[in-house]
């Protein structure tokens, strides 16, 4: 698979690139030859069978468990291309649980990002008054962001006082206030009830709308999102591009003795939904069936590359 | 049915009744003892106890000092210095053990072992190493509570979720900020809990050491007066010790609630 050159990377405004990514733990081979380019403004949803390595891929991108083989590149806030080795402020993350710091209120949780990033502990002590001013500004920004997300009444609540849906909303705000190059979500709504999940999916669609508005004004799209989910409907509803990661591929046909790990078998566009419109999952039935057959079926190993046809 | 709730006023009434029974039981014992021996001082009557209080509060004829005052100053100094060293040392060690695996690997074996050695049995060790004055008491209390506290804090830090750790780094935190602004703040209420549990043992080590060594302090006074069978002084001293322990515990709970207002809610979940 040809790796994109520096030029095309800038042309297509690629935010994240995985090049021949592989991951294994001892004898356990998890990921194999992952090649992926995510452009600015895309909402990429990753689906796959349980345990195929979706979360492993996400952790490699975050940088907490770096990949053993291959490289991951990300364009940071200043536009420099960097290799991913450790977590950084250019990749925001929202986890399924333990999403907020329990010892801070909602507004403090959202404000902690800029405080941690822009100040140091000695700076907060010796430049106390300047820090106090800065903190006030950040808290106001946090209040504005949370109010926009419908949490204006919960600014001073602690996570233990909030519902699961509220907590995930605050966690998304906490990540977004940092304006990361890419926002990563690891099955963020898995622990929530159906109605709350719907609300939060609409929230992500709202972010996509903001992207569209920015594109219309010729401004770079602000939100690039990478979401791991086990819910096929959610992936197709929220994402504008769906990836299928699976270990059920035709490695025998390529001459290998054993499965070297999961790889991307499916990469196609998904329809774009209006957050205020109907959730019509009927229209997704054909694509759902296609993905199920290609990605989730152990009985029918899919050859690689054939269904990796996404183009922006 | 198990765990059937009772009305709050019953809780109060039963509590008061139990204290009254305690006091009445003591009065009865004292009365019985005085019937056998009218000049008894081992289970003092209430008037004898009042005399005992007077004895420790008034200026003593022979030494020219008030027992309560000198004993309080001596014991308090030893206790607070010992607690300060033990708590600060134990907390810092536990925090760093939890944050850095190589520190944990270095210290867990020794801390686990030291936590099992009764400091009262090792008194002679402290004599040799630190002498027999105030530093000895401070060292004994500090080494008595430090290993247990360090292990306690270490285990609390281990409970800090990985997700929050990774998230802190993605929010631009430095290593120092991760330890100080996130891990420490989350672990703080558990540190208070651990310290509360160590107040009792610290008092035990102090009193035990004062009973063996020294010429002033609560332990010394209690032992001396016990040998002289002056229980009318000993009982008030015991009451003061109990009240002190109660106040320390209450003070720590208030401090915990003040500095960690979020903890009550989190615990209930």
């Amino acid at each position: 698979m040809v790796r994109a050159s520096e030029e095309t990377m800038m042309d297509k405004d690629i935010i994240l690139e995985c090049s021949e990514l592989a991951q294994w733990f001892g004898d356990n081979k998890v990921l194999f030859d992952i090649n992926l380019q995510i452009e600015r403004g895309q909402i990429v949803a990753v689906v796959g069978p349980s345990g195929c390595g979706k979360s492993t891929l996400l952790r490699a991108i975050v940088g907490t468990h770096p990949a053993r083989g291959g490289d991951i590149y990300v364009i940071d806030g200043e536009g420099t291309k960097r290799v991913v080795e450790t977590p950084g402020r250019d990749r925001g993350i929202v986890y399924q649980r333990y999403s907020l710091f329990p010892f801070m209120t909602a507004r403090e949780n959202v404000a902690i990002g800029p405080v941690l990033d822009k100040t140091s502990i000695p700076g907060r002590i010796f430049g106390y008054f300047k820090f106090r001013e800065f903190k006030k500004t950040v808290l106001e920004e946090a209040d504005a962001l949370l109010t926009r997300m419908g949490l204006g009444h919960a600014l001073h609540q602690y996570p233990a006082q909030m519902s699961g849906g509220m907590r995930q909303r605050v966690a998304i705000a906490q990540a977004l206030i940092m304006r990361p190059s890419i926002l990563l979500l690891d099955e963020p709504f898995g622990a929530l009830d159906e109605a709350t999940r719907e609300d939060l999916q609409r929230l992500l669609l709202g972010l996509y709308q903001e992207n569209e508005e920015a594109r219309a004004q010729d401004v770079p799209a602000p939100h690039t999102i990478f979401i791991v989910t086990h819910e096929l409907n959610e992936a197709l509803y929220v994402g504008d591009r769906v990836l299928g990661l699976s270990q059920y591929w035709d490695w025998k046909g390529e001459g290998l003795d054993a499965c070297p790990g999961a790889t991307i078998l499916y990469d196609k566009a998904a329809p774009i939904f209006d957050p205020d419109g109907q959730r019509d999952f009927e229209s997704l039935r054909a694509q759902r069936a296609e993905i199920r057959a290609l990605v989730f079926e152990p009985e029918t190993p899919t050859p690689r590359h054939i269904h990796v046809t996404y183009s922006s | 049915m198990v765990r059937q709730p009772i009305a709050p006023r019953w809780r109060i009434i039963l509590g008061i009744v139990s204290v009254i029974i305690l006091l009445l039981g003591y009065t009865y014992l004292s009365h019985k003892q005085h019937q056998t021996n009218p000049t008894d001082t081992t289970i003092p009557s209430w008037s004898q106890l009042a005399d005992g209080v007077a004895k420790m509060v008034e200026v003593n004829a022979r030494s020219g000092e008030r027992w309560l005052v000198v004993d309080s100053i001596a014991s308090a100094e030893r206790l607070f210095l010992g607690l300060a060293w033990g708590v600060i040392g134990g907390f810092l060690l536990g925090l760093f053990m939890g944050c850095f695996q190589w520190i944990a690997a270095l210290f867990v074996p020794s801390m686990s072992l030291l936590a099992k050695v009764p400091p009262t049995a090792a008194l002679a060790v402290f004599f040799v190493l630190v002498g027999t004055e105030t530093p000895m008491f401070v060292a004994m209390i500090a080494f008595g509570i430090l290993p247990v506290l360090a292990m306690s804090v270490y285990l609390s830090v281990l409970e800090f979720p990985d997700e929050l750790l990774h998230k802190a780094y993605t929010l631009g935190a430095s290593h120092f900020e991760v330890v100080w602004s996130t891990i420490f703040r989350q672990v703080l209420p558990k540190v208070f809990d651990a310290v509360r549990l160590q107040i009792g043992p610290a008092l035990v080590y102090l009193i035990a050491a004062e009973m063996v060594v020294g010429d002033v302090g609560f332990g010394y006074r209690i032992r001396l007066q016990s040998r002289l069978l002056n229980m009318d002084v000993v009982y008030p001293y015991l009451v003061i010790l109990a009240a002190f322990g109660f106040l320390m515990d209450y003070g720590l709970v208030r401090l915990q609630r003040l500095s960690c207002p979020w903890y009550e809610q989190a615990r209930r979940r």
Side-chain angles (χ1 to χ4, degrees), chain B residues 26-94:
Chain B
Y26 176 82
T27 315
Y28 174 68
L29 272 175
S30 171
H31 179 69
K32 285 288 307 258
Q33 190 76 349
H34 282 270
Q35 274 180 334
T36 341
N37 173 11
T39 57
D40 179 74
T41 57
T42 55
I43 308 184
S45 63
W46 292 103
S47 60
Q48 280 176 310
L49 284 171
D51 288 338
V53 172
K55 247 193 261 180
M56 66 184 197
V57 163
E58 287 163 0
V59 178
N60 180 264
R62 238 180 301 149
S63 61
E65 316 162 307
R66 297 176 202 271
W67 283 353
L68 185 59
V69 171
V70 291
D71 289 337
S72 299
I73 293 176
S75 292
E77 180 189 3
R78 293 160 182 164
L79 182 70
F80 282 111
L81 280 177
L83 277 176
W85 281 103
V87 167
I88 293 174
F91 160 69
L92 283 175
L93 185 60

Side-chain angles (χ1 to χ4, degrees), chain A residues 46-55 187 228-232 243-249 262-263 265 291-292 294-298:
Chain A
V46 179
V47 294
S50 291
C52 67
K54 308 191 287 292
S55 288
E187 308 214 21
V228 166
T229 174
H230 62 262
E231 253 270 303
L232 212 42
L243 300 177
L245 186 73
S246 174
Q247 65 269 51
Y248 304 138
W249 55 283
T263 192
L265 299 180
I291 296 177
R292 235 180 254 129
L294 296 172
V295 176
F296 289 81
E297 266 308 310

Side-chain angles (χ1 to χ4, degrees), chain B:
Chain B
M1 189 178 94
V2 174
R3 221 184 270 191
Q4 182 102 17
I6 60 171
R9 68 192 147 132
W10 275 113
R11 219 174 272 281
I12 300 173
I13 292 173
L14 288 171
I16 294 177
V17 164
S18 77
V19 173
I20 290 177
I21 289 179
L22 211 62
L23 295 172
L24 285 177
Y26 176 82
T27 315
Y28 174 68
L29 272 175
S30 171
H31 179 69
K32 285 288 307 258
Q33 190 76 349
H34 282 270
Q35 274 180 334
T36 341
N37 173 11
T39 57
D40 179 74
T41 57
T42 55
I43 308 184
S45 63
W46 292 103
S47 60
Q48 280 176 310
L49 284 171
D51 288 338
V53 172
K55 247 193 261 180
M56 66 184 197
V57 163
E58 287 163 0
V59 178
N60 180 264
R62 238 180 301 149
S63 61
E65 316 162 307
R66 297 176 202 271
W67 283 353
L68 185 59
V69 171
V70 291
D71 289 337
S72 299
I73 293 176
S75 292
E77 180 189 3
R78 293 160 182 164
L79 182 70
F80 282 111
L81 280 177
L83 277 176
W85 281 103
V87 167
I88 293 174
F91 160 69
L92 283 175
L93 185 60
L95 183 67
F96 285 115
M97 276 163 70
C99 290
F100 302 109
Q101 298 205 353
W102 58 274
I103 299 185
L106 262 177
F107 284 100
V108 164
S110 44
M111 286 299 119
S112 314
L113 279 170
L114 283 177
K116 301 295 184 286
V117 174
T120 44
L123 263 177
V125 175
F126 290 104
F127 291 163
V128 170
L129 291 176
V130 199
T132 58
E133 297 299 316
T134 305
M136 185 220 88
F137 295 99
V138 172
M140 200 173 100
I141 296 171
F143 279 110
I145 68 176
L146 191 147
V148 180
L149 201 63
M151 290 303 290
S152 218
V153 173
Y154 165 61
L155 291 172
S156 302
V157 172
L158 286 185
E159 281 174 8
F160 187 80
D162 279 344
E163 285 92 337
L164 284 176
L165 185 65
H166 300 325
K167 176 169 290 228
Y169 281 116
T170 65
L171 294 175
S174 65
H175 300 302
F176 188 21
E177 280 176 318
V178 167
V179 173
W180 187 252
S181 305
T182 60
I183 296 183
F184 165 61
R185 288 185 64 187
Q186 182 146 337
V187 158
L188 185 62
K190 302 223 184 84
V191 174
F192 275 110
D193 287 341
V195 171
R196 276 174 67 199
L197 287 173
Q198 293 304 307
I199 300 289
L203 278 170
V204 169
Y205 304 145
L206 171 73
I207 300 296
E210 284 182 339
M211 283 187 170
V212 176
V213 175
D215 55 3
V216 71
F218 269 64
Y220 161 78
R221 193 73 55 198
I222 290 173
R223 180 145 195 269
L224 186 61
Q225 299 303 317
S226 301
R227 297 191 75 187
L228 298 173
L229 293 180
N230 288 344
M231 299 306 281
D232 58 344
V233 174
V234 173
Y235 276 100
Y237 266 85
L238 293 178
V239 168
I240 291 174
L241 278 177
F244 173 74
F246 181 80
L247 277 173
M248 283 276 313
D249 191 68
Y250 181 69
L252 281 171
V253 170
R254 289 308 299 256
L255 201 59
Q256 182 192 49
R257 232 171 261 164
L258 198 71
S259 55
C260 313
W262 57 276
Y263 190 53
E264 266 318 299
Q265 272 106 6
R267 227 164 13 155
R268 237 172 262 142
R269 278 200 167 228

Side-chain angles (χ1 to χ4, degrees), chain A residues 154-213:
Chain A
L155 297 175
H156 296 274
Q157 284 184 8
Y158 286 104
Q161 298 166 293
M162 295 189 249
S163 69
M166 288 163 74
R167 282 201 286 265
Q168 293 303 77
R169 260 183 222 267
V170 177
I172 292 173
Q174 186 185 50
L176 286 179
I177 199 175
M178 299 293 292
R179 293 190 189 77
S181 300
I182 183 166
L183 174 63
L184 305 159
L185 300 135
D186 192 355
E187 308 214 21
F189 315 139
L192 304 173
D193 62 273
E194 182 72 45
T196 323
R197 227 181 298 155
E198 267 184 48
D199 281 338
L200 283 157
Q201 287 165 1
R202 265 189 270 264
L203 191 146
L204 291 182
L205 282 180
L207 295 179
Y208 193 79
Q209 293 290 11
E210 287 179 26
N211 281 353
E212 298 270 86
E213 281 161 27

Side-chain angles (χ1 to χ4, degrees), chain A residues 51-247:
Chain A
C52 67
K54 308 191 287 292
S55 288
T56 313
L57 175 61
L58 191 125
R59 276 186 231 134
I61 297 176
V62 174
T64 55
H65 302 78
R68 307 272 281 273
D71 290 305
I72 305 179
Y73 304 97
V74 69
I75 303 286
D76 70 12
E78 280 103 46
T80 335
K81 181 174 164 187
R82 300 159 146 266
V83 178
V84 168
E85 271 156 357
T86 56
R89 47 144 314 161
D90 48 352
R91 284 149 288 137
I93 180 103
V94 173
Y95 288 106
Q96 184 177 94
R97 354 163 268 167
Y98 302 121
S99 19
L100 298 175
F101 297 108
F103 50 87
M104 293 193 281
T105 59
R107 65 198 298 252
E108 287 167 349
N109 257 293
V110 175
I112 192 70
V115 166
L116 286 173
D117 187 38
K118 301 247 167 34
T119 67
S120 65
I121 293 182
R124 289 178 230 166
I125 300 175
F126 297 114
Y128 176 69
F129 293 104
K130 214 168 103 169
F131 172 62
R132 226 172 43 173
E133 276 305 307
F134 172 72
K135 197 159 174 212
K136 209 157 72 105
T137 340
V138 177
L139 280 168
E140 279 165 19
E141 195 185 339
D143 289 341
L145 184 53
L146 283 170
T147 318
R148 261 210 324 270
M149 290 182 128
L151 291 170
H153 60 286
L155 297 175
H156 296 274
Q157 284 184 8
Y158 286 104
Q161 298 166 293
M162 295 189 249
S163 69
M166 288 163 74
R167 282 201 286 265
Q168 293 303 77
R169 260 183 222 267
V170 177
I172 292 173
Q174 186 185 50
L176 286 179
I177 199 175
M178 299 293 292
R179 293 190 189 77
S181 300
I182 183 166
L183 174 63
L184 305 159
L185 300 135
D186 192 355
E187 308 214 21
F189 315 139
L192 304 173
D193 62 273
E194 182 72 45
T196 323
R197 227 181 298 155
E198 267 184 48
D199 281 338
L200 283 157
Q201 287 165 1
R202 265 189 270 264
L203 191 146
L204 291 182
L205 282 180
L207 295 179
Y208 193 79
Q209 293 290 11
E210 287 179 26
N211 281 353
E212 298 270 86
E213 281 161 27
R215 275 189 273 248
Q217 293 169 9
D218 229 6
V219 170
H223 307 294
T224 311
I225 298 175
F226 185 87
I227 173 169
V228 166
T229 174
H230 62 262
E231 253 270 303
L232 212 42
N233 274 331
E234 182 170 278
L236 291 164
Y237 180 57
V238 168
D240 66 340
R241 177 180 174 188
V242 175
L243 300 177
L245 186 73
S246 174
Q247 65 269 51

